[in-house]
Amino acid sequence: FIFVYFFSSKLSTSFFHVSAVSELRLIGVWFLTLPLFYFFSWLYLGYQRSTWYALLDYLKIVVLFGVTLFLFAFGFGKISPFIAYALLNVVLLLVCFWTIPSFIPSFWKLPFTFSFSSVFSVLRLGIYIGLSGFAWLVLTTTDTLMLTYFRTLEEVALYQAALILKQKGMSEIINKF
């Protein structure tokens, strides 16, 4: 988030050839709230609420589509999806806060304890998971970054849409067999 926020003007001119500072900052807000959303979604999975866990992905699509259409209708134009992404996790966090007390009534009553030994033990495991996640992010987004540098934003958007359709289609084919 900090990198995207503070270097948004440099990233904008280097990769997008246009001024996309506000768009990058809105995506930075999405990056900032993303770990909280995943915490709550994994909490559903951990407490074996798989229906709620699966519903979150559907809600994600509905909220993105609905907010984007709403903003387009009110004349926000091309920035509408960026605003929708910035608001996405905030809306979903409100849904999570609303549903979690229903199946974990004692969750909020637990005493808060803190110890440095627990933090270091979690960091020892988490650093490798974080590095793996970052490596996967670099591996899966390098093509988009290269395309963004050499092509127009419309072509990159079409590529991203086709890529998602291909991934979803392949997973459906694999799941059928």
Side-chain angles (χ1 to χ4, degrees), residues 53-71:
Y53 176 77
L55 183 65
L56 283 178
D57 278 336
Y58 175 72
L59 284 175
K60 203 187 296 188
I61 294 168
V62 168
V63 168
L64 276 175
F65 187 69
V67 171
T68 302
L69 282 180
F70 178 79
L71 293 172

Side-chain angles (χ1 to χ4, degrees), residues 169-177:
M170 289 303 292
S171 67
E172 287 299 317
I173 290 170
I174 290 170
N175 287 337
K176 296 293 180 190
F177 297 107

Side-chain angles (χ1 to χ4, degrees), residues 30 36 48 66 108-109 125 132 164:
W30 176 69
L36 290 173
Q48 299 176 353
W108 304 111
K109 296 176 185 173
L125 172 68
S132 298
I164 290 170

Side-chain angles (χ1 to χ4, degrees), residues 111-119:
F112 176 75
T113 59
F114 178 81
S115 70
F116 283 108
S117 63
S118 322
V119 170

